[in-house]
Amino acid sequence: MMKIETERLILRDLKKTDIKDLHKNVNDKQIAKSIPVIKYPYIRKYAVDFVNSCIKESGKKQRAKYEFCICLKSDNKLIGMIGISKVDRFHGTCTIGYWIGKDYRRQGIMSEALDRVIKFVFKTLKLRRIDITALGDNTASNELIKKKGFIYEGTRKECVRDWATKRLHDRIDYGILKKNWIK
């Protein structure tokens, strides 16, 4: 099982015992409005299927994705997720995505987790580029992404629909190169 620590957090592979906390935290209309791949309502079966697929992926020698649950060191319970997907070792690229439960927002938790995952991508996986996106109206996520040094690369107009409201959203694309992150 992969585990990464920060000052306050443990980022680790999912376990079956995380299903309850995953379901409780992600079954949130606000999360579903911000992350188009998350269905709403998020039923328990989705959590079970997601955890099982992550456990299967975590057993592979060459992983195509890393889905880390975000836990406070104080209780090691899942409060959010941060994932590295579309890992392409030939091109040296990947995509990062994340969400955090409503009781844990605006506490610097995602900033701390994102810092550590960026370091993991560039130092451990030895990739050269990270892509990241946010919906145009997700102010908090767009601010965090820019704060971490990602560069705006474009807006895709009305390219995604969320499950909570069925509204169309613009998607803002960002990227960062390892050589720019080091600076």
Side-chain angles (χ1 to χ4, degrees):
M1 174 178 281
M2 179 154 307
K3 182 169 120 175
I4 300 170
E5 294 192 33
T6 71
E7 185 179 328
R8 298 183 291 168
L9 308 173
I10 296 171
L11 311 176
R12 61 168 173 77
D13 286 327
L14 284 154
K15 311 181 284 197
K16 289 197 184 279
T17 54
D18 294 317
I19 291 169
K20 180 180 173 187
D21 291 324
L22 172 65
H23 180 249
K24 180 183 93 174
N25 281 294
V26 80
N27 189 31
D28 175 347
K29 194 171 192 172
Q30 192 61 44
I31 290 173
K33 281 171 49 178
S34 299
I35 304 172
V37 297
I38 295 179
K39 293 182 179 180
Y40 185 81
Y42 193 87
I43 61 174
R44 188 176 186 284
K45 181 189 180 327
Y46 300 155
V48 170
D49 292 347
F50 180 73
V51 169
N52 286 335
S53 74
C54 291
I55 290 170
K56 185 176 178 183
E57 180 70 23
S58 71
K60 294 180 180 177
K61 192 167 185 127
Q62 280 277 43
R63 289 166 74 163
K65 65 181 183 170
Y66 297 78
E67 298 286 354
F68 296 120
C69 61
I70 301 170
C71 307
L72 295 173
K73 282 184 175 177
S74 57
D75 64 10
N76 201 21
K77 289 191 184 293
L78 184 151
I79 62 170
M81 295 286 305
I82 187 162
I84 306 163
S85 63
K86 301 177 186 168
V87 175
D88 186 321
R89 286 175 175 79
F90 176 75
H91 292 291
T93 61
C94 70
T95 300
I96 291 179
Y98 52 80
W99 62 265
I100 192 150
K102 65 183 170 199
D103 295 338
Y104 305 95
R105 294 181 192 142
R106 294 289 184 188
Q107 298 174 35
I109 293 169
M110 191 54 71
S111 179
E112 189 173 326
L114 185 55
D115 280 341
R116 188 59 187 88
V117 168
I118 292 168
K119 182 178 179 184
F120 175 77
V121 167
F122 289 142
K123 298 283 189 176
T124 304
L125 297 181
K126 298 189 183 330
L127 301 179
R128 62 171 194 80
R129 177 188 166 84
I130 301 170
D131 296 314
I132 197 165
T133 66
L135 298 187
D137 55 359
N138 187 340
T139 306
S141 196
N142 280 286
E143 286 175 2
L144 175 62
I145 290 166
K146 288 186 262 189
K147 180 179 148 192
K148 297 302 171 190
F150 285 83
I151 304 300
Y152 169 81
E153 295 185 339
T155 299
R156 298 198 55 211
K157 296 292 190 184
E158 296 184 5
C159 83
V160 293
R161 184 183 306 275
D162 75 73
W163 285 89
T165 67
K166 313 299 188 270
R167 264 186 55 228
L168 287 170
H169 298 270
D170 295 347
R171 188 187 79 197
I172 303 185
D173 295 344
Y174 300 90
I176 191 168
L177 299 174
K178 181 176 182 178
K179 65 184 178 185
N180 299 118
W181 171 76
I182 291 170
K183 295 176 185 172

